[in-house]
mmCIF file of all heavy atoms in Angstrom:
data_model
loop_
_atom_site.group_PDB
_atom_site.id
_atom_site.type_symbol
_atom_site.label_atom_id
_atom_site.label_comp_id
_atom_site.label_asym_id
_atom_site.label_seq_id
_atom_site.Cartn_x
_atom_site.Cartn_y
_atom_site.Cartn_z
ATOM 1 N N THR A 108 -26.587 -8.597 26.198
ATOM 2 C CA THR A 108 -27.552 -8.698 27.285
ATOM 3 C C THR A 108 -27.535 -7.435 28.147
ATOM 4 O O THR A 108 -26.488 -6.988 28.587
ATOM 5 C CB THR A 108 -27.224 -9.928 28.164
ATOM 6 O OG1 THR A 108 -27.119 -11.065 27.325
ATOM 7 C CG2 THR A 108 -28.316 -10.147 29.198
ATOM 8 N N ASN A 109 -28.729 -6.872 28.362
ATOM 9 C CA ASN A 109 -28.901 -5.676 29.203
ATOM 10 C C ASN A 109 -28.022 -4.506 28.765
ATOM 11 O O ASN A 109 -27.589 -3.709 29.581
ATOM 12 C CB ASN A 109 -28.628 -6.005 30.685
ATOM 13 C CG ASN A 109 -29.599 -7.030 31.215
ATOM 14 O OD1 ASN A 109 -30.765 -7.023 30.841
ATOM 15 N ND2 ASN A 109 -29.122 -7.915 32.061
ATOM 16 N N ARG A 110 -27.741 -4.412 27.488
ATOM 17 C CA ARG A 110 -26.891 -3.337 26.983
ATOM 18 C C ARG A 110 -27.551 -2.702 25.760
ATOM 19 O O ARG A 110 -28.409 -3.298 25.119
ATOM 20 C CB ARG A 110 -25.514 -3.859 26.554
ATOM 21 C CG ARG A 110 -24.763 -4.618 27.623
ATOM 22 C CD ARG A 110 -23.988 -3.652 28.491
ATOM 23 N NE ARG A 110 -23.072 -4.383 29.330
ATOM 24 C CZ ARG A 110 -23.103 -4.383 30.650
ATOM 25 N NH1 ARG A 110 -24.000 -3.710 31.285
ATOM 26 N NH2 ARG A 110 -22.225 -5.058 31.337
ATOM 27 N N ASN A 111 -27.105 -1.495 25.430
ATOM 28 C CA ASN A 111 -27.595 -0.812 24.241
ATOM 29 C C ASN A 111 -26.658 -1.006 23.051
ATOM 30 O O ASN A 111 -26.833 -0.372 22.030
ATOM 31 C CB ASN A 111 -27.741 0.691 24.513
ATOM 32 C CG ASN A 111 -28.905 0.972 25.436
ATOM 33 O OD1 ASN A 111 -29.895 0.248 25.427
ATOM 34 N ND2 ASN A 111 -28.788 2.021 26.228
ATOM 35 N N TYR A 112 -25.659 -1.838 23.225
ATOM 36 C CA TYR A 112 -24.717 -2.000 22.119
ATOM 37 C C TYR A 112 -24.795 -3.392 21.512
ATOM 38 O O TYR A 112 -25.279 -4.332 22.137
ATOM 39 C CB TYR A 112 -23.285 -1.671 22.563
ATOM 40 C CG TYR A 112 -22.725 -2.534 23.662
ATOM 41 C CD1 TYR A 112 -22.135 -3.755 23.375
ATOM 42 C CD2 TYR A 112 -22.771 -2.124 24.985
ATOM 43 C CE1 TYR A 112 -21.608 -4.543 24.371
ATOM 44 C CE2 TYR A 112 -22.248 -2.909 25.997
ATOM 45 C CZ TYR A 112 -21.664 -4.122 25.679
ATOM 46 O OH TYR A 112 -21.150 -4.911 26.669
ATOM 47 N N LYS A 113 -24.326 -3.462 20.261
ATOM 48 C CA LYS A 113 -24.274 -4.729 19.537
ATOM 49 C C LYS A 113 -22.823 -5.112 19.303
ATOM 50 O O LYS A 113 -21.988 -4.252 19.021
ATOM 51 C CB LYS A 113 -24.953 -4.605 18.169
ATOM 52 C CG LYS A 113 -26.447 -4.435 18.225
ATOM 53 C CD LYS A 113 -27.029 -4.360 16.817
ATOM 54 C CE LYS A 113 -28.533 -4.158 16.868
ATOM 55 N NZ LYS A 113 -29.108 -4.069 15.524
ATOM 56 N N LYS A 114 -22.557 -6.385 19.412
ATOM 57 C CA LYS A 114 -21.252 -6.901 19.024
ATOM 58 C C LYS A 114 -21.358 -7.317 17.567
ATOM 59 O O LYS A 114 -22.179 -8.161 17.206
ATOM 60 C CB LYS A 114 -20.823 -8.090 19.872
ATOM 61 C CG LYS A 114 -19.458 -8.599 19.453
ATOM 62 C CD LYS A 114 -18.968 -9.737 20.291
ATOM 63 C CE LYS A 114 -17.585 -10.137 19.780
ATOM 64 N NZ LYS A 114 -17.094 -11.326 20.444
ATOM 65 N N ILE A 115 -20.549 -6.693 16.745
ATOM 66 C CA ILE A 115 -20.573 -6.938 15.303
ATOM 67 C C ILE A 115 -19.380 -7.807 14.928
ATOM 68 O O ILE A 115 -18.250 -7.526 15.338
ATOM 69 C CB ILE A 115 -20.521 -5.605 14.531
ATOM 70 C CG1 ILE A 115 -21.786 -4.810 14.846
ATOM 71 C CG2 ILE A 115 -20.367 -5.834 13.037
ATOM 72 C CD1 ILE A 115 -21.750 -3.397 14.348
ATOM 73 N N THR A 116 -19.640 -8.844 14.163
ATOM 74 C CA THR A 116 -18.580 -9.694 13.630
ATOM 75 C C THR A 116 -18.750 -9.739 12.116
ATOM 76 O O THR A 116 -19.843 -10.018 11.624
ATOM 77 C CB THR A 116 -18.655 -11.121 14.211
ATOM 78 O OG1 THR A 116 -18.617 -11.044 15.639
ATOM 79 C CG2 THR A 116 -17.506 -11.978 13.707
ATOM 80 N N ALA A 117 -17.669 -9.434 11.408
ATOM 81 C CA ALA A 117 -17.709 -9.430 9.938
ATOM 82 C C ALA A 117 -16.537 -10.233 9.399
ATOM 83 O O ALA A 117 -15.477 -10.308 10.027
ATOM 84 C CB ALA A 117 -17.660 -7.999 9.425
ATOM 85 N N TYR A 118 -16.749 -10.827 8.257
ATOM 86 C CA TYR A 118 -15.706 -11.593 7.572
ATOM 87 C C TYR A 118 -15.489 -10.994 6.191
ATOM 88 O O TYR A 118 -16.406 -10.406 5.612
ATOM 89 C CB TYR A 118 -16.127 -13.058 7.413
ATOM 90 C CG TYR A 118 -16.249 -13.793 8.725
ATOM 91 C CD1 TYR A 118 -17.454 -13.833 9.405
ATOM 92 C CD2 TYR A 118 -15.156 -14.450 9.275
ATOM 93 C CE1 TYR A 118 -17.574 -14.499 10.612
ATOM 94 C CE2 TYR A 118 -15.269 -15.123 10.481
ATOM 95 C CZ TYR A 118 -16.466 -15.145 11.148
ATOM 96 O OH TYR A 118 -16.586 -15.805 12.337
ATOM 97 N N ASP A 119 -14.290 -11.191 5.653
ATOM 98 C CA ASP A 119 -14.065 -10.716 4.297
ATOM 99 C C ASP A 119 -14.915 -11.533 3.329
ATOM 100 O O ASP A 119 -15.532 -12.531 3.707
ATOM 101 C CB ASP A 119 -12.576 -10.727 3.932
ATOM 102 C CG ASP A 119 -11.952 -12.119 3.922
ATOM 103 O OD1 ASP A 119 -12.685 -13.125 3.823
ATOM 104 O OD2 ASP A 119 -10.720 -12.199 4.010
ATOM 105 N N GLU A 120 -14.969 -11.099 2.094
ATOM 106 C CA GLU A 120 -15.857 -11.740 1.108
ATOM 107 C C GLU A 120 -15.520 -13.202 0.852
ATOM 108 O O GLU A 120 -16.394 -13.983 0.487
ATOM 109 C CB GLU A 120 -15.834 -10.968 -0.202
ATOM 110 C CG GLU A 120 -16.549 -9.648 -0.140
ATOM 111 C CD GLU A 120 -16.605 -8.985 -1.493
ATOM 112 O OE1 GLU A 120 -15.586 -8.407 -1.900
ATOM 113 O OE2 GLU A 120 -17.667 -9.050 -2.144
ATOM 114 N N LEU A 121 -14.268 -13.577 1.048
ATOM 115 C CA LEU A 121 -13.877 -14.961 0.802
ATOM 116 C C LEU A 121 -14.643 -15.924 1.704
ATOM 117 O O LEU A 121 -15.001 -17.019 1.297
ATOM 118 C CB LEU A 121 -12.366 -15.129 1.009
ATOM 119 C CG LEU A 121 -11.784 -16.497 0.720
ATOM 120 C CD1 LEU A 121 -12.046 -16.897 -0.738
ATOM 121 C CD2 LEU A 121 -10.298 -16.515 1.010
ATOM 122 N N TYR A 122 -14.933 -15.506 2.926
ATOM 123 C CA TYR A 122 -15.662 -16.352 3.879
ATOM 124 C C TYR A 122 -17.045 -16.695 3.348
ATOM 125 O O TYR A 122 -17.472 -17.844 3.362
ATOM 126 C CB TYR A 122 -15.772 -15.622 5.226
ATOM 127 C CG TYR A 122 -16.552 -16.369 6.272
ATOM 128 C CD1 TYR A 122 -15.969 -17.402 6.993
ATOM 129 C CD2 TYR A 122 -17.877 -16.043 6.547
ATOM 130 C CE1 TYR A 122 -16.676 -18.083 7.970
ATOM 131 C CE2 TYR A 122 -18.589 -16.721 7.525
ATOM 132 C CZ TYR A 122 -17.984 -17.742 8.230
ATOM 133 O OH TYR A 122 -18.705 -18.417 9.194
ATOM 134 N N THR A 123 -17.765 -15.677 2.883
ATOM 135 C CA THR A 123 -19.124 -15.878 2.396
ATOM 136 C C THR A 123 -19.137 -16.497 1.005
ATOM 137 O O THR A 123 -19.802 -17.504 0.763
ATOM 138 C CB THR A 123 -19.872 -14.532 2.352
ATOM 139 O OG1 THR A 123 -19.799 -13.942 3.637
ATOM 140 C CG2 THR A 123 -21.316 -14.712 1.960
ATOM 141 N N LYS A 124 -18.401 -15.907 0.112
ATOM 142 C CA LYS A 124 -18.448 -16.342 -1.283
ATOM 143 C C LYS A 124 -17.673 -17.627 -1.536
ATOM 144 O O LYS A 124 -17.894 -18.295 -2.529
ATOM 145 C CB LYS A 124 -17.991 -15.208 -2.182
ATOM 146 C CG LYS A 124 -18.971 -14.040 -2.116
ATOM 147 C CD LYS A 124 -18.610 -12.926 -3.041
ATOM 148 C CE LYS A 124 -19.684 -11.830 -2.962
ATOM 149 N NZ LYS A 124 -19.389 -10.731 -3.846
ATOM 150 N N GLY A 125 -16.779 -17.983 -0.622
ATOM 151 C CA GLY A 125 -16.049 -19.245 -0.745
ATOM 152 C C GLY A 125 -16.943 -20.452 -0.557
ATOM 153 O O GLY A 125 -16.602 -21.559 -0.956
ATOM 154 N N ASN A 126 -18.112 -20.242 0.058
ATOM 155 C CA ASN A 126 -19.054 -21.341 0.286
ATOM 156 C C ASN A 126 -20.089 -21.497 -0.823
ATOM 157 O O ASN A 126 -20.963 -22.359 -0.735
ATOM 158 C CB ASN A 126 -19.760 -21.149 1.630
ATOM 159 C CG ASN A 126 -18.834 -21.435 2.780
ATOM 160 O OD1 ASN A 126 -18.071 -22.390 2.744
ATOM 161 N ND2 ASN A 126 -18.870 -20.596 3.794
ATOM 162 N N ILE A 127 -19.997 -20.671 -1.855
ATOM 163 C CA ILE A 127 -20.933 -20.782 -2.982
ATOM 164 C C ILE A 127 -20.697 -22.100 -3.717
ATOM 165 O O ILE A 127 -19.558 -22.474 -3.997
ATOM 166 C CB ILE A 127 -20.760 -19.588 -3.950
ATOM 167 C CG1 ILE A 127 -21.169 -18.285 -3.265
ATOM 168 C CG2 ILE A 127 -21.566 -19.803 -5.233
ATOM 169 C CD1 ILE A 127 -20.870 -17.042 -4.088
ATOM 170 N N ASP A 128 -21.779 -22.787 -4.040
ATOM 171 C CA ASP A 128 -21.684 -24.019 -4.827
ATOM 172 C C ASP A 128 -21.471 -23.633 -6.287
ATOM 173 O O ASP A 128 -22.328 -22.984 -6.900
ATOM 174 C CB ASP A 128 -22.951 -24.856 -4.677
ATOM 175 C CG ASP A 128 -22.847 -26.218 -5.357
ATOM 176 O OD1 ASP A 128 -21.894 -26.438 -6.138
ATOM 177 O OD2 ASP A 128 -23.711 -27.057 -5.102
ATOM 178 N N VAL A 129 -20.327 -24.021 -6.840
ATOM 179 C CA VAL A 129 -19.963 -23.636 -8.210
ATOM 180 C C VAL A 129 -19.942 -24.827 -9.156
ATOM 181 O O VAL A 129 -19.355 -24.758 -10.243
ATOM 182 C CB VAL A 129 -18.595 -22.894 -8.236
ATOM 183 C CG1 VAL A 129 -18.684 -21.573 -7.492
ATOM 184 C CG2 VAL A 129 -17.473 -23.761 -7.677
ATOM 185 N N ALA A 130 -20.604 -25.919 -8.784
ATOM 186 C CA ALA A 130 -20.621 -27.112 -9.638
ATOM 187 C C ALA A 130 -21.200 -26.797 -11.014
ATOM 188 O O ALA A 130 -20.670 -27.233 -12.041
ATOM 189 C CB ALA A 130 -21.393 -28.241 -8.974
ATOM 190 N N GLY A 131 -22.288 -26.035 -11.058
ATOM 191 C CA GLY A 131 -22.892 -25.674 -12.341
ATOM 192 C C GLY A 131 -21.950 -24.853 -13.201
ATOM 193 O O GLY A 131 -21.856 -25.065 -14.419
ATOM 194 N N TRP A 132 -21.242 -23.920 -12.568
ATOM 195 C CA TRP A 132 -20.244 -23.117 -13.290
ATOM 196 C C TRP A 132 -19.163 -24.026 -13.865
ATOM 197 O O TRP A 132 -18.834 -23.948 -15.038
ATOM 198 C CB TRP A 132 -19.626 -22.070 -12.346
ATOM 199 C CG TRP A 132 -18.327 -21.513 -12.825
ATOM 200 C CD1 TRP A 132 -18.146 -20.498 -13.723
ATOM 201 C CD2 TRP A 132 -17.021 -21.948 -12.458
ATOM 202 N NE1 TRP A 132 -16.806 -20.277 -13.928
ATOM 203 C CE2 TRP A 132 -16.095 -21.164 -13.153
ATOM 204 C CE3 TRP A 132 -16.537 -22.933 -11.592
ATOM 205 C CZ2 TRP A 132 -14.715 -21.321 -13.032
ATOM 206 C CZ3 TRP A 132 -15.171 -23.099 -11.464
ATOM 207 C CH2 TRP A 132 -14.287 -22.303 -12.175
ATOM 208 N N TYR A 133 -18.609 -24.905 -13.024
ATOM 209 C CA TYR A 133 -17.520 -25.792 -13.448
ATOM 210 C C TYR A 133 -17.958 -26.712 -14.585
ATOM 211 O O TYR A 133 -17.253 -26.881 -15.570
ATOM 212 C CB TYR A 133 -17.013 -26.617 -12.261
ATOM 213 C CG TYR A 133 -15.892 -27.564 -12.630
ATOM 214 C CD1 TYR A 133 -14.585 -27.108 -12.722
ATOM 215 C CD2 TYR A 133 -16.156 -28.908 -12.902
ATOM 216 C CE1 TYR A 133 -13.558 -27.970 -13.069
ATOM 217 C CE2 TYR A 133 -15.137 -29.779 -13.250
ATOM 218 C CZ TYR A 133 -13.839 -29.312 -13.324
ATOM 219 O OH TYR A 133 -12.825 -30.162 -13.694
#
Side-chain angles (χ1 to χ4, degrees):
T108 307
N109 298 324
R110 305 274 191 241
N111 289 329
Y112 61 84
K113 291 182 181 179
K114 180 178 181 186
I115 296 170
T116 304
Y118 294 91
D119 64 20
E120 288 185 282
L121 183 59
Y122 178 80
T123 305
K124 295 183 177 180
N126 287 318
I127 294 173
D128 186 348
V129 295
W132 161 83
Y133 180 82

